[in-house]
Amino acid sequence: MAVPTHATSKVRRTGALYQRQARSAFLLLAPTILFFAVLVYYPMIQSFVMSFTNWDLFKDTYRFIGIDNYKRLLTDRTFRTSVRNTFVYSVSTVGVGTSLALFLANLLNRDIKGSHVYRFIYYIPVISPLVASAVIWEWLYNPSQGLINYLLSLVGVHRIGWLVDPHYSLAAVIIMSIWGSLGFNMLIFLAGLKGIPEVFYDAAKVDGANGWQRFVHVTWPLLRPVTIFVIVTSTISAFKVFGQVYVMTNGGPVNSTRVIVFDIYETAFRMQKLGYASSMSYFLLGILLLLTMLQMRAGRSDY
Amino acid sequence: MKRSSFLALTVMLSLVLAACAAPTPAPTPVAAPPTVGSSTHPTAVPPTPKPAQPVTIVVAIEMGSQTNERQALFEGLFKEYMGKNPNVTIKFEPVVSDYDQYITKLLVDLKSGTGPDIFTTTGSTLLKFAETGELLTAPAEVEAYVKKEALNEAVLSSVTGRDGKMYGIPWMGDWPALFYNKDMYQKSGITKVPTTWEELLDASKKLTRVDAQGNITTAGFFVRKSGAQLGIFEKWYPFFSAAGGEIFDKGMTKCTVNSPEGVEALQFYVDLIHVAKVDSFEAAQGDTKGFISGNVAQYIRESSNITRFQNEAPSLKFGTALIPSHKTTGKGIANIDSIVVTKACKNPQAAWDFLMWLSSPEIATRRDKALYRQPLFKTVSQDPFYKDNELIQPFLQQQAHIFPLHPNAYDMETAIGKYVEMALHKQMSPKEALDEAAKEVDALLKKE
């Protein structure tokens, strides 16, 4: 019979302590896990199952229809329009929004007088309620009485039907959305810029690098993780756009601002077709997962 | 226990608990057919038989735009009823939300067995509720009362199912007629309100104002060009009906929106913007806002706007008139809410008695007058308040339709609206647009 040595009993004691600690940790985590399980994972699983059914909220019964809902997505012209609009919206808001945010962050990173006031001003749209902002923008875009057309008329630009002309309506929503998210992205970039040690710039200066070269060879590579973060979060948020479309255009005119989430909302809550709406949601999830993976891969740092 | 096993166990436990927490649809109890007291006089507050046992009736009402006024009025009325019927408790659930959210909430409540006994609904939604067996049919006495009192065919149709049975009592509603700005008429030398398309076109041209750059500052006639496609359809419908158009053939087997009459109506509507130029996409955006601000001279809208103008623009001088006719009388689409009793209601007799009291001429008159609503009942319309009201009278004379009964009516109206919008934006000719609309509606017609 093996007699426990001092060392083995210490290991056992440590193991028992570890188990006790782990158990306490998991018990403490359980409410959160339960919360997520009930309110996130269970509905997610349920809606995935629903996406293979013809469930209409008005009807008591539903049946499994295989991948018919997903097949229907491919032939649904309105949904195709929503997907196209969502892509145009996302590429524009993420592309222009990220570039503008980076540009502004660079400006505000300099020692300029009152930079904190500018930061505050740029951040106001982020903390403003979306619906209130959308209503204000609706007025700004008013073709006959709106401020934007008035200002444009001063430089000889003819009246534009921002929200009623399908040529301009999506652009109008994009502009509003960029305005709304600019402050947040700018702050993230600003935090990233503050984290770059000054010594790199000093070294570049010694090597004779000008401002642009310092940006390209020092700032940009070191901001890469921050940029990836901004792009990924902005893309996810852009694909989920709904509020401003719902308030400002209701998806029109002629479906020119109809986006995926608006389509999901209409299908689920106006037409009560929950099965089909669920398949739309999973289609959106698929797009987002794919895009996020691609962005993460593209952003893998070589430094 | 290994750490990973413990974690897995915790997750599984959570999932199991989650699954247990999931609501399971409760079977809908089928109530016995209701019987209402036999001697309700249709033109007076009916004497209601007092239930022997205490009864609680839950009433859900969508509050619409007049939330505060409605809530105060209904609470007062319900209290009055409870005072007269001490055994009855009316539990009022006012729902302040978007109509779609209201319906979703109702559906979820009804399916989970926690729904109200009485609720308000409208149009194709009533039909869906009725055809999925959620509603009780109205007792014979209620049916007789509604048939006697309904102001027009649209009011009666709004509570009638495809099986010809009545499922509720008309609650509140309206339909459109022509609004015009009296001052602008005077300034433009218009002395007669247009009664035909030709006169409307002529008046609209005279009323249209442009600035130095050629921008329309006042639209002679407002054409609904944006917003919900259902709304675009409804605003075009008066022209469609005036041209003699019918949405479906007689047996409702085929959509006929693309008939020559339909094409004529859409061509006229499109030409108002592109040929007559009495409105444009860059002109005033909102019809009612534009009418208040003087950017719109004429438009077709529902009577509920009368109070809005009186409250928001007391100095606005406006009149109302019948929708201009063409080959036949122009008719608008009526939006009529009804109040219904659910099959799950445990005291259907008490519920119908309460509704009969609430819909009696005296109470309906008080209700409609307090909220300045267009009356739906003949007796109410005879009240001096309405009889001598020159703004509301055209609405009472105006003929209206409800969209043909079908569970997919909402989708059909939206589909037609989508193609009307495309024609307005010149993405399709009126004929092409209506051909596409007819195809989509035909597909929806087959899909129950």
Side-chain angles (χ1 to χ4, degrees), chain A residues 69-83 258 263 267 276 280, chain B residues 418 440:
Chain A
N69 282 334
Y70 291 93
K71 280 202 270 187
R72 186 175 154 197
L73 286 179
L74 303 176
T75 53
D76 184 338
R77 278 196 292 180
T78 309
F79 186 67
R80 278 214 300 264
T81 305
S82 310
V83 173
R258 198 178 176 94
D263 221 0
T267 310
Y276 189 45
M280 288 176 169
Chain B
K418 179 173 75 183
E440 242 175 73

Side-chain angles (χ1 to χ4, degrees), chain A residues 84-115:
Chain A
R84 192 189 59 221
N85 289 341
T86 310
F87 268 97
V88 172
Y89 171 88
S90 303
V91 169
S92 311
T93 47
V94 175
V96 179
T98 308
S99 312
L100 259 179
L102 181 59
F103 175 72
L104 283 175
N106 267 295
L107 286 185
L108 293 179
N109 195 33
R110 295 171 190 186
D111 288 330
I112 53 169
K113 211 173 172 185
S115 63

